[in-house]
Amino acid sequence: MAGLVVLRPGVDWTATGALFDWTLEFLIARLSNRHAAAQLQEIVDNSLGSFWLENLAPSAQREVVNHLRADLVTAGERHLPETDHKPDVVAHLRELVAATYRLPVE
């Protein structure tokens, strides 16, 4: 099963279910907004397969984007399993980070 992250309509990222869950769990562990973290945990726990950034409060949206930009790729390089596919997976995480730069500036 695949997962979908929608940063805004027309700006999205798809990944395998496992990478989608890993990405949301990366965010859950870092979000200071516990309500937003609980929303993401519900998505993971129920295998809902999609996360729409706009469903979070504006402050939580900014926090998600900041964590993705600052730490996602480094976390993937450090914590994802060492397999022959890891370079491709990390490159895919970079695509998500790049997509955040297509969001409107606040």
Side-chain angles (χ1 to χ4, degrees):
M1 179 160 127
L4 174 68
V5 174
V6 179
L7 298 172
R8 71 174 181 150
V11 181
D12 55 56
W13 177 79
T14 58
T16 65
L19 185 58
F20 172 80
D21 287 350
W22 183 91
T23 302
L24 292 190
E25 289 167 356
F26 160 86
L27 291 167
I28 291 163
R30 288 161 178 78
L31 288 174
S32 64
N33 182 315
R34 297 320 304 159
H35 178 70
Q39 287 177 272
L40 271 62
Q41 189 65 59
E42 183 177 355
I43 292 168
V44 172
D45 290 348
N46 294 293
S47 301
L48 298 179
S50 69
F51 163 57
W52 289 66
L53 183 64
E54 68 185 14
N55 289 341
L56 301 180
S59 61
Q61 291 179 32
R62 286 188 296 276
E63 189 177 359
V64 164
V65 169
N66 289 339
H67 285 303
L68 292 174
R69 288 177 179 173
D71 301 318
L72 181 67
V73 171
T74 300
E77 290 170 339
R78 288 184 183 156
H79 301 292
L80 288 170
E82 294 297 331
T83 69
D84 293 339
H85 301 288
K86 185 172 182 174
D88 294 331
V89 173
V90 172
H92 198 55
L93 293 175
R94 282 191 182 93
E95 292 174 12
L96 174 57
V97 173
T100 69
Y101 289 97
R102 294 177 47 206
L103 297 174
V105 177
E106 295 183 20

